[in-house]
Amino acid sequence: MPAMHYRLRWPDASETVCYSPSLVIHDYLTPGEDYPLPELLQRVREATAIASERVREKFGFACSRAADQLLQTEAHAAPFVDDAEARVRVVAFEPA
């Protein structure tokens, strides 16, 4: 199953490299786009659920690394949730 990484730039200009066990993230995020924080989180949650289900279908168990990544992404987003102007940029997709 092709895995990939994607780089996010947060409102404080920090960047994180995130993991997806499936290329489905391509359907949910676009490099160079800025997303309002709630929308970005919704997109990442949906893509992660689909990717994890694809792993379950292929291997018989969900992808724990994807679940961990989602928790990390939500934790990184937490300081910005009260900022209605908070936007997150998808910097790039990168090979895993």
Side-chain angles (χ1 to χ4, degrees):
M1 177 158 289
M4 66 171 307
H5 291 108
Y6 55 100
R7 184 178 299 273
L8 301 177
R9 183 174 303 133
W10 298 92
D12 64 358
S14 66
E15 292 189 5
T16 56
V17 176
C18 304
Y19 171 80
S20 174
S22 165
L23 300 181
V24 71
I25 197 73
H26 280 271
D27 298 337
Y28 286 82
L29 300 176
T30 302
E33 287 288 318
D34 293 328
Y35 295 91
L37 182 62
E39 180 182 345
L40 176 100
L41 291 174
Q42 175 192 3
R43 288 170 176 265
V44 169
R45 286 177 188 127
E46 288 179 25
T48 300
I50 292 168
S52 189
E53 187 55 33
R54 287 181 179 179
V55 171
R56 181 187 313 278
E57 289 171 2
K58 184 169 184 171
F59 298 107
F61 52 85
C63 181
S64 61
R65 186 172 174 194
D68 290 345
Q69 178 61 67
L70 180 57
L71 290 174
Q72 291 172 11
T73 300
E74 290 176 339
H76 204 96
F80 311 112
V81 295
D82 293 329
D83 180 356
E85 301 298 315
R87 298 181 71 79
V88 180
R89 174 168 287 241
V90 178
V91 177
F93 291 135
E94 302 170 352

